[in-house]
Amino acid sequence: MNLKKVIELKDKAKKEGAVSVKEQIRSRFTEGNFRYPAGAVPADTTIDFEIEISRAQSIRKATLVWIDDEENRYKYLNMDWSGINRGHDVYTKVIKVNKRGLNWYYFQLETLSQTFYVGKEGLSIVVANHEPPSWPLIVYNRHFTTPNWIKGGLFYHIFVDRFARVGVSTAKENVVLREDWGGTPVYLPNEKGEIVNNDFFGGNLKGVLEKLDYLQQLGVTCIYLSPIFEAYSNHKYDTGDFTKIDSMFGSIEDFHLLCKEGKKRGIRIVLDGVFNHTGSDSIYFNKNGTYDSIGAFQSKESPYFSWFTFIEYPDKYESWWGIDTLPAVNEDDPDFLQFITGTEGIARKWLKLGASGWRLDVLDELPDTFIEAFRKAAKSYDQETLLIGEVWEDASYKMSYGKRRRYLLGEQMDSIMNYPFMDAIIQFVRNGDAEKLHEVVTTILQHYPSCVVHCLMNMLGTHDTKRILTALGGRIVQDAPREQQAQMNMSASERKEAIHLLKMASLIQMTLPGVPCIYYGDEAGLEGYEDPFNRRCFPWGKEEKTLQHWYKSLGTIRKQWSVFKEGQYETLYAKEQVFLFQRFNGLEKVIVGVNRSDIPFQIEITAPYVDLLQNRDVSDEYMMEPNTVCFLGKKSLC
């Protein structure tokens, strides 16, 4: 029995059951949220709502319940009866939204004998006898724009110490400079029980500069650098001095040259901004007395004392997640705010030196006032500065520390790191959950402004997660000790299957709305569980060549097709372990599919396409065999 017959039989079985109230409710707006436009909208937009209910329900009144999230204020808007459509009463309401912010809505339906409510449940609806889960709707600044240069591009995320090295770095005091490039990073605590992250392999900015041609061939248009400012650790999230490049990574001149040479190749640089905390071993806190300055730990008379919050001076102070080497900064402190966002502040300093944007670390822990001041500082220097925020969830209605965040209204971030896509792609490719992938993708596209969507950083792994090859093909270990993780590598057969799965995952990543981001070495076949095993050295000379060639092919295709810049998206099929979607604009259309089932899947082709992976013409029908992919394209639609 072929796949098509199986689907038909299942649909028939559903129809033979009793018809529920839920099945008697629909809308001509097929996106599933009963309105047009379906996504986030700019202020001053007119929105059409429509709900159709079977006449068998005898509805006498329909109400659109509109909730202002900021004020928790409810409006009950009577809907207009607009006629009958195929046995359904049609109720409509047109409203114009002006106030920027997050709103919610659901429907209240009344019969002669009861009142029930219609709300959101995934991409479907729930019918309840009480207030249901609501649909969110963001209204953003109608002047909100995001940088054009990143749209349709390709990020490459580099952990500097482990990417590439040129020359020999001069080791600083109390660090270990290793000569075994590719060795296992130190993962055990020292004699004091501390994990100090002080082993260095010598990667530096000159190494990145030397590999620019490689990155250009990969299709990269933007390098996202992990922190490069002076700091004690190898990861540099414990900033020692925001004004200096760490000496083990290079100099300001090296950075400026990297930006200059990158731009010649169409590659820009985005920096990692860590402004929620500093290092305890910093010019600002100076707990270890490393610096000549008077730090906040040393004296209440320090010019930096007001930056930090002490509970019992000097030994007890607020820190990031209780880690005493990362004292938390009071971001609203006027002196700190001026230091970072002033006319001569850090935000603008590094843009002047060649950077094209910032990724803000732990965005949830930065106050709105700081983020908005940072945006004004960066955008006043260059409106095309890119601002990306680290948020792990849906950022449209995120709560942090009891407060609703306003990241995507046009006054804070341009876009977000897209962890929801990452998790859903991994679950689909590993377990075949096509329905969940469809739900996650559609939900994000409905919740975020379109200008945010086209700048999303779509990664499959970062320095904070497992390597994608391990996530797809490695053994699942829960709370395994580091000693065990250090020794865990895939067998040859496991690795072969993982590479096959990564090709599927990366095809989806490279073609969904947003900008894909390759974590250095993923394209070369690096494995590894969590930190520090996901931060191994790039395996120069030992790359997985077939995988590297695959990534280069996808990067080339992205550059050749404008549809990946701001093209529309539509899921065509998401069932039975098959995920199929299309991207399209007025000139081009591509169809992308992954079949994780053990049954062939047939795609009917209505016009000639090109198989972009095989470089051959396709017409009439295309058979996607079990556990394979398809990537079809068509130009000149008009």
Side-chain angles (χ1 to χ4, degrees):
M1 183 181 293
N2 64 36
L3 178 62
K4 188 175 181 182
K5 289 288 186 183
V6 172
I7 294 166
E8 287 174 349
L9 288 175
K10 288 189 175 182
D11 288 344
K12 182 179 179 182
K14 289 180 182 178
K15 292 175 183 176
E16 289 173 350
V19 178
S20 66
V21 174
K22 178 178 175 178
E23 292 172 306
Q24 298 178 60
I25 298 173
R26 67 189 188 199
S27 175
R28 77 177 189 271
F29 302 135
T30 57
E31 290 84 356
N33 54 9
F34 296 85
R35 64 179 169 91
Y36 181 83
V41 299
D44 299 329
T45 295
T46 297
I47 306 176
D48 293 309
F49 292 87
E50 188 217 61
I51 186 168
E52 301 180 10
I53 311 102
S54 171
R55 302 215 78 203
Q57 292 300 316
S58 301
I59 299 298
R60 69 178 187 88
K61 183 180 180 181
T63 304
L64 170 66
V65 183
W66 179 267
I67 308 163
D68 181 315
D69 183 82
E70 183 179 19
E71 300 179 11
N72 194 30
R73 180 163 51 88
Y74 285 62
K75 286 184 179 179
Y76 295 86
L77 307 173
N78 291 333
M79 303 186 75
D80 301 315
W81 184 81
S82 301
I84 301 171
N85 179 23
R86 293 180 295 163
H88 284 62
D89 286 310
V90 179
Y91 289 89
T92 61
K93 186 67 180 179
V94 178
I95 67 172
K96 186 174 183 179
V97 291
N98 304 107
K99 180 184 175 184
R100 297 192 295 272
L102 175 64
N103 304 279
W104 304 88
Y105 66 93
Y106 62 87
F107 300 97
Q108 177 178 297
L109 305 176
E110 300 176 32
T111 69
L112 290 174
S113 59
Q114 66 170 326
T115 299
F116 58 94
Y117 305 86
V118 178
K120 172 182 171 64
E121 186 175 60
L123 295 182
S124 185
I125 62 172
V126 61
V127 178
N129 58 8
H130 52 77
E131 182 174 345
S134 305
W135 285 274
L137 193 160
I138 274 190
V139 180
Y140 58 90
N141 189 323
R142 62 191 180 92
H143 301 295
F144 183 23
T145 60
T146 52
N148 280 317
W149 62 263
I150 191 58
K151 298 170 186 175
L154 177 60
F155 286 110
Y156 193 86
H157 176 191
I158 292 178
F159 192 81
V160 178
D161 181 58
R162 311 290 161 81
F163 179 61
R165 63 184 179 189
V166 168
V168 179
S169 300
T170 301
K172 296 190 291 187
E173 187 176 352
N174 297 322
V175 305
V176 178
L177 184 58
R178 298 178 56 167
E179 298 179 0
D180 58 333
W181 183 268
T184 301
V186 173
Y187 58 89
L188 294 175
N190 61 17
E191 64 279 0
K192 297 180 181 179
E194 302 168 330
I195 296 176
V196 293
N197 297 299
N198 69 339
D199 61 323
F200 288 78
F201 287 86
N204 50 30
L205 295 181
K206 287 181 178 178
V208 180
L209 178 65
E210 185 183 67
K211 299 300 182 181
L212 283 177
D213 289 340
Y214 164 77
L215 297 175
Q216 184 181 25
Q217 292 169 8
L218 203 60
V220 171
T221 62
C222 182
I223 297 170
Y224 154 41
L225 293 175
S226 60
I228 59 174
F229 303 139
E230 184 171 278
Y232 171 74
S233 73
N234 51 42
H235 57 68
K236 306 300 176 194
Y237 283 92
D238 53 334
T239 310
D241 191 336
F242 289 108
T243 69
K244 296 179 180 178
I245 301 291
D246 192 272
S247 60
M248 294 190 71
F249 286 175
S251 64
I252 286 180
E253 290 73 24
D254 293 334
F255 174 75
H256 181 68
L257 182 61
L258 174 62
C259 295
K260 180 181 177 181
E261 291 299 315
K263 284 186 178 179
K264 288 180 181 179
R265 296 164 174 82
I267 299 174
R268 302 200 188 205
I269 306 296
V270 165
L271 294 174
D272 207 337
V274 187
F275 302 120
N276 166 260
H277 50 270
T278 70
S280 59
D281 188 7
S282 67
I283 193 172
Y284 317 107
F285 203 75
N286 210 12
K287 185 175 183 178
N288 300 347
T290 302
Y291 293 85
D292 292 336
S293 67
I294 303 298
F297 182 86
Q298 297 166 303
S299 171
K300 293 183 180 181
E301 301 303 314
S302 166
Y304 309 112
F305 178 76
S306 63
W307 288 20
F308 304 94
T309 301
F310 290 89
I311 301 167
E312 294 178 7
Y313 188 81
D315 295 315
K316 193 174 182 181
Y317 46 86
E318 290 187 2
S319 59
W320 185 75
W321 287 75
I323 301 172
D324 65 2
T325 56
L326 302 176
V329 170
N330 173 15
E331 299 94 343
D332 284 329
D333 177 76
D335 289 340
F336 179 75
L337 204 59
Q338 180 67 19
F339 178 75
I340 300 296
T341 68
T343 303
E344 302 300 321
I346 296 301
R348 291 167 58 94
K349 171 184 173 71
W350 294 102
L351 296 175
K352 292 175 183 177
L353 286 167
S356 294
W358 290 91
R359 175 261 194 191
L360 295 189
D361 187 53
V362 293
L363 193 65
D364 294 343
E365 306 195 33
L366 298 174
D368 289 336
T369 49
F370 177 86
I371 300 172
E372 288 162 11
F374 193 92
R375 180 182 182 85
K376 288 178 182 176
K379 297 290 186 176
S380 65
Y381 177 76
D382 184 353
Q383 185 62 32
E384 285 287 288
T385 298
L386 179 65
L387 300 177
I388 300 286
E390 181 195 16
V391 179
W392 286 62
E393 306 85 8
D394 184 328
S396 64
Y397 57 86
K398 179 68 188 288
M399 294 284 292
S400 66
Y401 298 95
K403 185 176 181 180
R404 186 79 69 188
R405 305 313 303 262
R406 300 169 56 85
Y407 302 139
L408 308 182
L409 303 185
E411 288 102 18
Q412 296 191 2
M413 306 311 297
D414 288 322
S415 201
I416 298 294
M417 297 180 73
N418 198 357
Y419 281 98
F421 275 20
M422 182 190 84
D423 294 338
I425 292 171
I426 291 172
Q427 286 305 310
F428 166 63
V429 172
R430 182 146 190 164
N431 303 316
D433 194 345
E435 293 87 349
K436 185 62 178 179
L437 178 54
H438 167 54
E439 178 184 332
V440 169
V441 172
T442 302
T443 298
I444 291 296
L445 299 188
Q446 288 182 350
H447 289 185
Y448 291 7
S450 59
C451 61
V452 170
V453 167
H454 299 311
C455 299
L456 282 169
M457 182 184 280
N458 292 343
M459 60 278 174
L460 291 178
T462 71
H463 63 290
D464 289 323
T465 66
K466 295 186 187 82
R467 282 282 175 181
I468 182 58
L469 204 62
T470 300
L472 292 173
R475 282 159 284 174
I476 298 175
V477 292
Q478 296 293 338
D479 302 319
R482 286 188 165 198
E483 294 86 346
Q484 182 180 346
Q485 291 185 41
Q487 303 302 319
M488 292 181 72
N489 292 299
M490 285 180 270
S491 67
S493 60
E494 288 173 333
R495 185 173 172 86
K496 182 179 179 181
E497 176 63 11
I499 290 171
H500 179 61
L501 296 180
L502 178 50
K503 289 181 178 180
M504 293 180 174
S506 56
L507 175 62
I508 298 172
Q509 174 202 23
M510 290 280 193
T511 52
L512 284 175
V515 183
C517 180
I518 301 171
Y519 182 41
Y520 81 99
D522 279 350
E523 82 281 12
L526 279 181
E527 300 178 29
Y529 287 88
E530 279 83 1
D531 171 25
F533 311 112
N534 56 359
R535 302 177 182 181
R536 286 186 168 97
C537 299
F538 192 103
W540 297 109
K542 301 177 182 178
E543 301 95 330
E544 191 73 53
K545 295 297 184 182
T546 57
L547 194 56
Q548 214 169 24
H549 177 73
W550 171 263
Y551 271 91
K552 287 182 180 180
S553 297
L554 294 182
T556 298
I557 292 170
R558 277 188 63 85
K559 285 192 171 184
Q560 293 171 343
W561 290 74
S562 66
V563 72
F564 296 117
K565 186 174 182 179
E566 295 177 292
Q568 297 183 61
Y569 170 92
E570 181 185 9
T571 301
L572 299 175
Y573 194 88
K575 298 178 185 177
E576 308 290 333
Q577 298 184 303
V578 176
F579 189 65
L580 186 71
F581 65 91
Q582 64 179 354
R583 300 289 307 280
F584 55 96
N585 56 26
L587 299 174
E588 301 172 347
K589 179 185 288 187
V590 296
I591 295 175
V592 180
V594 175
N595 181 4
R596 285 292 286 124
S597 77
D598 56 3
I599 304 172
F601 184 85
Q602 183 174 297
I603 304 171
E604 294 184 1
I605 304 296
T606 57
Y609 279 78
V610 174
D611 184 328
L612 298 176
L613 298 175
Q614 302 294 329
N615 195 27
R616 62 183 178 89
D617 293 336
V618 176
S619 59
D620 298 329
E621 295 178 352
Y622 182 96
M623 187 67 71
M624 188 162 46
E625 298 296 334
N627 283 301
T628 61
V629 303
C630 76
F631 192 8
L632 311 178
K634 179 173 63 173
K635 287 182 180 280
S636 301
L637 298 181
C638 52

